[in-house]
Amino acid sequence: MFISDVTNQSLAQALRGLDAQRLLHEQNIANIETPGYLAQKADFAGSLRQALESGRIEDADIEVTNSVLPTRLDGNNVRLDDEITGLTKTQLHQDLVTTALNARYRLLRTSWDR
Amino acid sequence: MELFRSLSIAESGMDVYQQWLDAIADNIANINTVSPTDEAAFQERFVVAQSQIGEGRPEGAKVVRAEFGNPLGRIVHSPSHPLADEDGFVRLPDMDLTDQMSNLLMAQRSYQANVAAFERARSAYETALEIGS
């Protein structure tokens, strides 16, 4: 069925992953002065690709990893320019995925308007 | 291929100039740091940047190491200073405030240039996303 085919499911999973990324960037910025805090990042692309290759899209999940960058003296390794760049990229990526989803739905609407 | 590559490249430039700014600030903070003659003077800090290439594509710049200036410094006659040796000499860092200030300007302007590149790239990508809408 068109509404929940594999393309739309992948796009939806990408949106979930991007939302997790945005949340972690925000959390990292909030903790930029917290001693001992390690920056975290979310990756959904690797798992999504594996799920697509195995044909089981529902297996796709979001991996959260700690950053391995060197820490400052207080044990924190959040870098503001990294986080801001990440947020900007995530936003652009979200726009891209949303545009793709909108195009799919526009196609669907065209068919039921006839 | 990584999506939105120019954003990462501009960010790597920002990181390099941020570290250079840190080094210059450290140098300026220590411009009058006095050491006794039997110890090394404060050594001017330099950062060494290197361009990065990954899979044949540019990946911006990175600070690969720090270099340090002359540990001998300048010997200055200052007999009333508490750190002076029996002949009345102390060591001051071999640095020039004029150099540091012009480096500071260069580092600041270069950082701003990278932020400008970042903003231009972002606005270009945003335009690309408007295609067909």
Side-chain angles (χ1 to χ4, degrees):
Chain A
M1 186 186 155
F2 187 89
I3 296 181
S4 56
D5 68 357
V6 71
T7 309
N8 280 13
Q9 280 182 33
S10 321
L11 289 168
Q13 174 64 16
L15 276 184
R16 277 191 288 275
L18 288 166
D19 201 46
Q21 270 180 10
R22 181 192 51 77
L23 188 76
L24 287 181
H25 286 307
E26 288 169 357
Q27 209 169 73
N28 291 343
I29 294 173
N31 282 292
I32 197 155
E33 293 289 347
T34 308
Y37 178 86
L38 294 177
Q40 291 183 309
K41 66 174 183 208
D43 180 49
F44 64 91
S47 169
L48 181 56
R49 171 189 296 223
Q50 275 176 8
L52 281 170
E53 278 166 1
S54 68
R56 291 218 309 262
I57 186 81
E58 61 278 7
D59 285 354
D61 63 357
I62 300 161
E63 286 166 38
V64 176
T65 47
N66 280 343
S67 161
V68 291
L69 286 174
T71 61
R72 304 194 303 254
L73 282 179
D74 62 357
N76 186 308
N77 69 355
V78 179
R79 283 177 20 198
L80 189 61
D81 39 4
D82 262 3
E83 301 305 329
I84 300 290
T85 311
L87 270 180
T88 311
K89 275 187 182 171
T90 307
Q91 188 206 332
L92 286 168
H93 208 145
Q94 273 174 328
D95 283 356
L96 184 63
V97 177
T98 317
T99 306
L101 262 179
N102 277 335
R104 300 275 297 175
Y105 290 137
R106 206 161 40 235
L107 206 62
L108 183 64
R109 203 170 296 124
T110 315
S111 69
W112 80 48
D113 278 351
R114 307 256 136 213
Chain B
M1 196 199 97
E2 193 199 340
L3 204 54
F4 313 129
R5 179 180 291 266
S6 13
L7 296 179
S8 310
I9 295 178
E11 188 214 344
S12 76
M14 281 187 247
D15 192 42
V16 166
Y17 290 108
Q18 174 72 62
Q19 291 192 49
W20 194 20
L21 282 167
D22 288 350
I24 297 164
D26 195 32
N27 292 342
I28 294 175
N30 283 292
I31 197 109
N32 284 317
T33 301
V34 177
S35 327
T37 45
D38 55 358
E39 284 175 22
F42 173 83
Q43 286 167 269
E44 181 175 4
R45 195 144 69 90
F46 303 89
V47 293
V48 180
Q50 202 173 57
S51 70
Q52 300 289 302
I53 308 277
E55 296 162 14
R57 289 166 180 277
E59 283 186 341
K62 191 182 174 188
V63 171
V64 285
R65 62 175 191 279
E67 295 268 349
F68 295 92
N70 180 9
L72 297 176
R74 289 179 293 128
I75 305 283
V76 175
H77 188 61
S78 176
S80 61
H81 198 282
L83 295 178
D85 60 15
E86 57 267 32
D87 301 321
F89 289 107
V90 292
R91 248 187 241 283
L92 277 167
D94 188 13
M95 289 192 291
D96 180 16
L97 190 57
T98 324
D99 284 350
Q100 298 304 324
M101 294 312 284
S102 30
N103 285 346
L104 186 63
L105 265 176
M106 276 197 278
Q108 183 196 1
R109 292 297 183 209
S110 309
Y111 186 89
Q112 286 168 338
N114 279 284
V115 175
F118 183 95
E119 289 299 335
R120 296 295 162 92
R122 186 179 63 151
S123 121
Y125 287 134
E126 275 170 357
T127 317
L129 286 165
E130 283 168 20
I131 295 171
S133 65

